[in-house]
Amino acid sequence: MIHRALLGSVERMFAILCEHFEGKWPFWLSPRQAMVCPVSNKSQSYALELRKQIHDAGYYVDVDTSDKTLQKKVREAQEAKYNYILVVGEAEARGGQVSVRVRDKRDHQVMTVGDLLLHLKDMVASFQ
């Protein structure tokens, strides 16, 4: 009998990758690249607009439009292993900016949407 496993090695390699990264996939490979968390209902329209801009640039992005507190939204995004958590409020909406938090770091930085898209492009280009 000849045993032929066309996808056997691919499945094993995928299993090894899953164990190695423990759900914390590098940005270029992650199915959960970014989560947009609006501070309140007033900034939800800006969050949806930001999601569209990032999605149109070719990245996977979700928006948490629930009524939960901001801390709860950020915590759930961290637990879901999103690479970037993008917090937007009224001040960011007025300035066309976004507060960027990286998954494993406690600090955050504010940047324009254009700068964010350039940063994400660099992350993909460098396979990080």
Side-chain angles (χ1 to χ4, degrees):
M1 173 185 346
I2 298 174
H3 176 70
R4 185 173 177 198
L6 293 175
L7 296 177
S9 61
V10 174
E11 291 170 353
R12 282 191 295 277
M13 185 61 193
F14 190 70
I16 290 169
L17 283 173
C18 288
E19 287 179 5
H20 175 73
F21 288 120
E22 296 175 344
K24 295 181 180 181
W25 295 94
F27 180 77
W28 66 275
L29 186 60
S30 179
R32 293 181 171 161
Q33 293 177 326
M35 169 67 83
V36 180
C37 297
V39 174
S40 66
N41 290 338
K42 295 178 183 178
S43 54
Q44 276 193 8
S45 61
Y46 178 66
L48 294 171
E49 176 186 323
L50 180 64
R51 182 220 169 271
K52 182 176 180 349
Q53 288 177 350
I54 297 171
H55 180 74
D56 290 347
Y59 303 107
Y60 298 105
V61 62
D62 295 317
V63 178
D64 188 347
T65 57
S66 66
D67 291 338
K68 299 174 187 164
T69 64
L70 179 62
Q71 291 81 8
K72 183 76 171 170
K73 291 178 183 181
V74 170
R75 180 71 182 139
E76 287 181 357
Q78 287 173 335
E79 288 175 354
K81 309 281 196 261
Y82 280 91
N83 294 71
Y84 288 94
I85 302 164
L86 311 173
V87 178
V88 293
E90 292 179 58
E92 287 85 5
R94 281 192 300 271
Q97 297 178 328
V98 60
S99 178
V100 180
R101 297 173 186 237
V102 182
R103 173 180 54 212
D104 295 328
K105 297 180 183 170
R106 297 187 61 87
D107 59 337
H108 65 281
Q109 61 183 4
V110 177
M111 59 177 60
T112 64
V113 177
D115 289 343
L116 173 66
L117 292 176
L118 286 175
H119 176 73
L120 297 181
K121 183 179 178 182
D122 290 342
M123 292 294 291
V124 170
S126 64
F127 293 105
Q128 292 182 356

